[in-house]
Amino acid sequence: MYVPYTFLYSNLLQHSLKDKAKPQINPALTTRLQRSRKMGKKEEQLAELLGTLGDFTSKENWDKFFTIRGTDDAFEWYAEWSELRNPLLSHLPPQPQILVPGCGSSRLSEHLYDAGFNSITNIDFSKVAISDCLRRNVRHRPDMRWRVMDMTAMQFEDEAFDVVVDKGGLDALMEPELGPKLGTQYLSEVRRVLKFGGKFICLTLAESHVLALIFSKFRFGWKMGVHAIPQKPSSKPSLQAFMVVAEKQVSSVLQEITSSFNDSSLALKGSQACGLLEAVEKENQIRRDYSTGSDVLYSLEELQLGARGDLTKLCPGHRFQLTLGGDSRFSYRAVVLDAQESSGPFAYHCGVFIVPKTRAHEWLFSSEEGQWMVVESSKAARLVMVLLDASHVSASMDDIQKDLSPLVKQLAPGKDDSGAQIPFMMASDGIKQRNIVHQVTSTITGPVIVEDVIYENVDGDISRILPSRDLTFRRLVFQRSEGLVQSEALLYEEGSNNKVGETERKKTNSSSKSKRRGIQRRSGETSHQLKVYHGYLASSYHTGILSGLMLISSYLESMASTQKSVKAVVIGLGAGLLPMFLHRCMPFMHTEVVELDPVVLKLAKEYFSFVEDDHLQVVHIADGIQFLRNVANSAAADEISAVQEKEGATEPPSSNGSCLESHVEGKVPSKVDIVIIDVDSADSSSGMTCPAADFVQETFLQTVKDALSEKGLFIINLVSRSQAIKDSVISRMKMVFSHLFCLQLEEDVNEVIFGLCSASCIKEDSFPEAALQLEKLLKLEHPEISQSIINTTKKLRQLK
């Protein structure tokens, strides 16, 4: 047990006695004790008295302290009755039941009794102190009650008192080196034993760590004021005492702390003044933030203190976020949702839904709308959704459930006496098996992981091609973007007799063999025979990009039928899966890829079988924006040269330095037909995961249009959870491109936007015919894969 007495500590200078072996005592305390000399105490007796204060956690030391002091020798730590009388009595209601915890040998209770307040109960854990006070008052104040009791574990019924008067008790329990544990226990008891409308009156030196605790514990459902205790004029510097008054309210509405400081009452200077004023303003700012914040992250303790009303009662449609943990092994971010009554009947009064780190970013779990959908399917009247993060990766689900169990029980509504268990549900990350193949950190992209995974369920199209086996997928993950799988490829077993690998084996050549050996060396024993299959797009947004080619399918068909190359530029290589697929299924397309990071190109070649071809597929290690600016400038120069040549000039057009050439040698400008932007953003503050903000600025969009041919198509993969940001991007694109189309992928945050340069535009009633044209152009060995792309075209819609 900790002593229920104050001592002026921490921020006051400590002075040791001449004897170094004796404990250090606060000078203000020493001054008080030295008054004992005037009362006849001997020098050695004083030293013995000071020695009892070496351990403030020892009840025996305090018993000895009061024994030495004597029966009739009252002791006041600070604030004499003459200073306290008026401010204290002004806050007392008529005929209150008063509790004075940690009474010690102070005469405060006696003065209150003599002032007409007879229903007073005093407690202290020192038997000596209680015995002395009882002996001193039993005849003159017979109605006064005295009990030996620990103030951190009071033996009183709930709501037993109208007023709790603390004179230094909290200060004593809050010695900095001891931490806030006992102070927290004590204030919890104060909250419990006070009636509604009752007051906690705390007389304190108002040190910052004491105020921080008392402000936080009496934040919700309490009206609070801080008042200075007037001091007697003195030439000697002394510490100012304060009175914090917290009144228990029925409502949990937050109220700012009031103060009654003025020049005459606030007779403090220096750090004590600054610390107090800063603490009050800091707390009031916290309260203002809570009052105005739409989605505040609460602590469990704040909720239990009434931050969102009575936590034990269901409030249909109620939702709030909180942090769980502290004393537990882990900390967690959680969302509490009380289901609408229309969602009933409910199978559980309370349920827990755990979302693994790999899925926490998904719309279903990160958005409020998605979370309510989970609530409906859970059949729980209250659902506690726990979102795991990187700190939980090494823990098993059993460990997490054991750690969470005592925490979520405190969030369960009502007092469940039936013993019903709180069920734990979980959103699977969908991965049955994961193997890290390679990890590297790039100075441009940051940490990058190549991993092989086996999913619990796979896309229906590929499962029909390979129905009876676990399929392995290789993923390229950029860790700078939480949860972003940049690229994903299907692996097949080289040398097997499945039909997926047939075309791949036919295309094997000596140069690719050396690259394949590199893959086998790095992949490890479990996947040394696996090879990337480039005839399937595992990423749904890649399928969406392909489906958008339907918008220019007539142009593509005319180019292919006349054996002309369609020029495409892809900004952002990733694993190289999209350009490899285009190379495979549209052999008439000449693709140039621009990638800023050479490490990404190296990974694409070594782990995803990406192959460069000087004629059909080229990678430029360059800035994508500057590359397209060069293309646009070159196209403009070619147009000028063509005009000059037509007017008689003979100087040939200048080259832009890229592999892009004119459709026909000579006079046609070297513009491109398709530009695809598929890059992630290194700056999360932009609100977009893809692309980087510079790629959607109006100046760049105009550059893209200038680089595109008359029938050109601009495609951008847009990933943002902010509808306002999406609307802003689309608004800028409308200012540049004649016609816009979009494709929203189901259960995904990706939205693919398509911009057409041509003034004329394909009509929606022509979509089926255009889709058939696209299907004929796709040279794929499996009709199921072609059909998936064509089916996706049905989701395209025009933006008006």
Side-chain angles (χ1 to χ4, degrees):
M1 295 182 187
Y2 283 64
V3 297
Y5 281 93
T6 191
F7 126 57
L8 317 179
Y9 48 95
S10 125
N11 69 336
L12 302 176
L13 296 175
Q14 296 282 320
H15 291 268
S16 61
L17 298 176
K18 291 181 180 180
D19 185 349
K20 296 294 184 180
K22 293 179 181 178
Q24 292 184 334
I25 304 297
N26 187 283
L29 176 59
T30 303
T31 300
R32 293 276 186 177
L33 294 175
Q34 284 175 341
R35 294 176 185 172
S36 300
R37 296 183 179 183
K38 299 176 183 180
M39 300 176 186
K41 299 294 183 183
K42 296 180 180 179
E43 184 72 27
E44 60 271 17
Q45 197 172 17
L46 173 61
E48 186 180 9
L49 189 65
L50 293 173
T52 64
L53 302 180
D55 181 4
F56 281 84
T57 67
S58 170
K59 184 174 75 70
E60 289 72 21
N61 274 3
W62 283 102
D63 283 342
K64 187 175 181 181
F65 173 86
F66 289 117
T67 299
I68 296 171
R69 290 281 304 174
T71 303
D72 297 320
D73 195 357
F75 187 81
E76 306 295 339
W77 297 102
Y78 42 73
E80 301 288 350
W81 175 248
S82 59
E83 302 166 347
L84 284 176
R85 189 181 193 285
N86 290 336
L88 179 56
L89 296 185
S90 68
H91 288 281
L92 296 180
Q95 299 182 336
Q97 291 287 335
I98 299 176
L99 172 67
V100 181
C103 60
S105 62
S106 170
R107 292 192 183 273
L108 174 63
S109 300
E110 298 170 18
H111 291 306
L112 286 172
Y113 190 98
D114 294 344
F117 299 94
N118 301 141
S119 298
I120 301 175
T121 301
N122 304 273
I123 65 171
D124 198 298
F125 78 163
S126 171
K127 292 182 180 179
V128 175
I130 292 296
S131 297
D132 286 351
C133 289
L134 179 61
R135 190 180 304 110
R136 193 169 70 209
N137 290 282
V138 66
R139 291 183 180 179
H140 304 296
R141 301 173 184 88
D143 295 330
M144 188 101 76
R145 291 176 293 277
W146 305 87
R147 294 185 63 177
V148 177
M149 190 182 297
D150 181 359
M151 63 197 292
T152 67
M154 301 183 198
Q155 301 164 25
F156 299 116
E157 297 291 328
D158 295 355
E159 302 179 23
F161 296 95
D162 299 293
V163 179
V164 175
V165 179
D166 177 312
K167 188 183 180 187
L170 180 62
D171 284 1
L173 296 178
M174 287 292 292
E175 290 190 62
E177 60 269 25
L178 301 179
K181 182 178 179 181
L182 290 188
T184 298
Q185 292 175 355
Y186 166 53
L187 293 184
S188 295
E189 286 292 88
V190 170
R191 292 170 54 87
R192 181 181 66 80
V193 301
L194 266 179
K195 300 175 182 178
F196 281 99
K199 294 179 180 180
F200 174 49
I201 301 176
C202 182
L203 302 169
T204 173
L205 292 178
E207 294 192 274
S208 58
H209 61 288
V210 176
L211 292 178
L213 182 70
I214 196 171
F215 286 169
S216 65
K217 298 302 178 187
F218 295 90
R219 183 175 287 154
F220 299 98
W222 294 80
K223 180 181 178 181
M224 183 175 289
V226 181
H227 313 277
I229 303 299
Q231 289 183 299
K232 294 179 181 178
S234 173
S235 60
K236 297 180 180 180
S238 60
L239 290 170
Q240 175 87 51
F242 294 88
M243 182 167 63
V244 179
V245 181
E247 184 176 345
K248 191 173 185 179
Q249 308 279 294
V250 175
S251 170
S252 61
V253 175
L254 271 176
Q255 301 181 55
E256 289 193 29
I257 298 171
T258 60
S259 59
S260 59
F261 305 146
N262 53 53
D263 293 339
S264 61
S265 64
L266 191 58
L268 74 165
K269 298 178 181 179
S271 61
Q272 193 186 14
C274 293
L276 172 68
L277 297 173
E278 287 177 6
V280 172
E281 177 53 33
K282 180 180 178 181
E283 175 62 21
N284 278 337
Q285 185 58 53
I286 291 173
R287 296 183 180 213
R288 286 191 289 269
D289 291 342
Y290 274 130
S291 297
T292 59
S294 59
D295 214 356
V296 174
L297 194 64
Y298 297 95
S299 68
L300 176 58
E301 185 178 28
E302 286 174 332
L303 292 168
Q304 291 172 328
L305 293 176
R308 296 300 297 263
D310 189 347
L311 199 59
T312 65
K313 296 180 181 179
L314 286 169
C315 185
H318 211 198
R319 173 187 177 273
F320 52 85
Q321 296 190 88
L322 72 154
T323 55
L324 288 171
D327 295 332
S328 59
R329 179 178 174 186
F330 300 105
S331 63
Y332 308 88
R333 184 169 68 88
V335 184
V336 174
L337 304 106
D338 285 354
Q340 298 285 3
E341 292 179 355
S342 58
S343 301
F346 302 109
Y348 315 106
H349 77 292
C350 184
V352 181
F353 193 93
I354 299 176
V355 182
K357 173 183 177 291
T358 53
R359 300 195 64 187
H361 69 285
E362 294 180 18
W363 176 87
L364 189 63
F365 309 115
S366 63
S367 70
E368 184 173 346
E369 185 180 353
Q371 290 168 358
W372 284 117
M373 293 175 63
V374 177
V375 173
E376 285 194 29
S377 63
S378 72
K379 294 300 179 184
R382 172 172 290 172
L383 186 68
V384 182
M385 184 178 292
V386 179
L387 300 128
L388 303 185
D389 56 33
S391 66
H392 308 110
V393 170
S394 61
S396 69
M397 276 303 124
D398 285 343
D399 289 340
I400 288 174
Q401 184 171 335
K402 288 177 183 177
D403 194 48
L404 275 173
S405 290
L407 299 175
V408 296
K409 284 180 180 178
Q410 300 176 67
L411 291 169
K415 295 182 178 179
D416 184 26
D417 299 325
S418 64
Q421 295 295 311
I422 298 176
F424 278 76
M425 299 164 267
M426 183 173 177
S428 169
D429 62 2
I431 295 176
K432 185 188 299 185
Q433 183 178 322
R434 176 185 279 108
N435 175 45
I436 302 296
V437 176
H438 183 69
Q439 297 182 74
V440 66
T441 298
S442 162
T443 56
I444 297 175
T445 307
V448 183
I449 292 176
V450 179
E451 61 183 10
D452 289 351
V453 300
I454 296 175
Y455 290 110
E456 294 174 352
N457 297 293
V458 296
D459 178 77
D461 298 325
I462 197 64
S463 64
R464 284 190 289 273
I465 299 171
L466 299 171
S468 59
R469 54 181 296 227
D470 285 336
L471 298 179
T472 302
F473 293 83
R474 177 158 293 172
R475 312 199 309 182
L476 181 68
V477 181
F478 291 174
Q479 290 190 288
R480 69 184 181 189
S481 300
E482 181 70 25
L484 176 66
V485 178
Q486 210 286 335
S487 301
E488 186 169 38
L490 173 66
L491 301 182
Y492 76 96
E493 191 171 349
E494 190 175 20
S496 66
N497 58 2
N498 69 72
K499 55 185 178 180
V500 163
E502 291 175 2
T503 305
E504 292 294 320
R505 286 193 295 276
K506 291 177 184 177
K507 294 195 173 189
T508 300
N509 54 46
S510 59
S511 63
S512 65
K513 286 179 182 178
S514 63
K515 294 179 175 61
R516 203 162 52 244
R517 284 196 295 272
I519 295 172
Q520 292 170 1
R521 284 195 303 271
R522 294 170 174 82
S523 298
E525 295 182 0
T526 59
S527 58
H528 70 281
Q529 293 183 328
L530 296 178
K531 189 177 187 298
V532 172
Y533 176 54
H534 287 295
Y536 172 71
L537 292 173
S539 297
S540 59
Y541 82 92
H542 278 164
T543 302
I545 289 173
L546 262 293
S547 70
L549 298 180
M550 175 199 72
L551 298 170
I552 58 169
S553 58
S554 293
Y555 175 68
L556 296 178
E557 186 178 49
S558 67
M559 296 294 287
S561 63
T562 56
Q563 297 184 338
K564 296 177 181 178
S565 292
V566 172
K567 308 294 193 295
V569 172
V570 178
I571 307 296
L573 174 66
L577 303 176
L578 179 60
M580 288 294 286
F581 188 87
L582 290 171
H583 186 188
R584 181 190 184 96
C585 73
M586 290 186 165
F588 59 87
M589 190 172 291
H590 177 103
T591 305
E592 295 203 37
V593 184
V594 185
E595 172 56 51
L596 185 63
D597 192 346
V599 172
V600 173
L601 174 59
K602 188 172 186 289
L603 292 173
K605 289 180 176 180
E606 295 183 353
Y607 294 94
F608 292 88
S609 303
F610 177 76
V611 179
E612 285 187 86
D613 185 305
D614 290 342
H615 178 62
L616 294 176
Q617 188 161 278
V618 181
V619 175
H620 303 273
I621 299 299
D623 177 83
I625 292 176
Q626 186 59 49
F627 181 88
L628 282 176
R629 188 177 293 130
N630 292 341
V631 173
N633 291 340
S634 177
D638 286 349
E639 287 179 343
I640 294 172
S641 298
V643 172
Q644 291 174 343
E645 187 174 348
K646 186 176 182 180
E647 294 176 351
T650 57
E651 190 174 330
S654 61
S655 171
N656 65 359
S658 78
C659 295
L660 291 171
E661 299 178 6
S662 305
H663 293 311
V664 180
E665 291 184 8
K667 302 173 184 179
V668 181
S670 56
K671 291 195 173 186
V672 300
D673 302 301
I674 301 169
V675 172
I676 301 172
I677 306 295
D678 185 19
V679 295
D680 76 322
S681 173
D683 180 15
S684 59
S685 65
S686 68
M688 289 186 294
T689 305
C690 297
D694 290 344
F695 286 93
V696 291
Q697 296 300 319
E698 190 174 344
T699 53
F700 174 72
L701 296 175
Q702 187 61 53
T703 297
V704 173
K705 186 176 182 180
D706 293 342
L708 283 168
S709 64
E710 182 183 353
K711 300 291 185 180
L713 175 65
F714 177 50
I715 306 174
I716 188 165
N717 178 36
L718 178 61
V719 182
S720 176
R721 299 189 183 279
S722 169
Q723 189 59 48
I725 290 176
K726 290 181 180 180
D727 292 343
S728 176
V729 171
I730 291 171
S731 176
R732 272 176 261 158
M733 291 183 68
K734 283 181 177 179
M735 297 177 68
V736 176
F737 293 94
S738 303
H739 304 281
L740 288 185
F741 295 81
C742 77
L743 176 68
Q744 177 64 62
L745 302 172
E746 292 182 5
E747 298 184 2
D748 208 334
V749 293
N750 293 71
E751 188 168 351
V752 186
I753 311 295
F754 306 89
L756 289 174
C757 294
S758 175
S760 59
C761 173
I762 182 174
K763 305 297 182 183
E764 290 193 17
D765 56 5
S766 300
F767 279 10
E769 181 182 350
L772 288 175
Q773 285 181 314
L774 177 62
E775 187 175 16
K776 291 176 182 178
L777 292 170
L778 295 172
K779 305 303 180 183
L780 293 169
E781 56 193 288
H782 299 294
E784 296 92 343
I785 297 175
S786 294
Q787 192 59 49
S788 175
I789 295 172
I790 302 308
N791 289 341
T792 305
T793 64
K794 300 174 184 178
K795 300 174 184 177
L796 275 168
R797 62 183 180 87
Q798 186 169 9
L799 297 174
K800 304 298 184 181

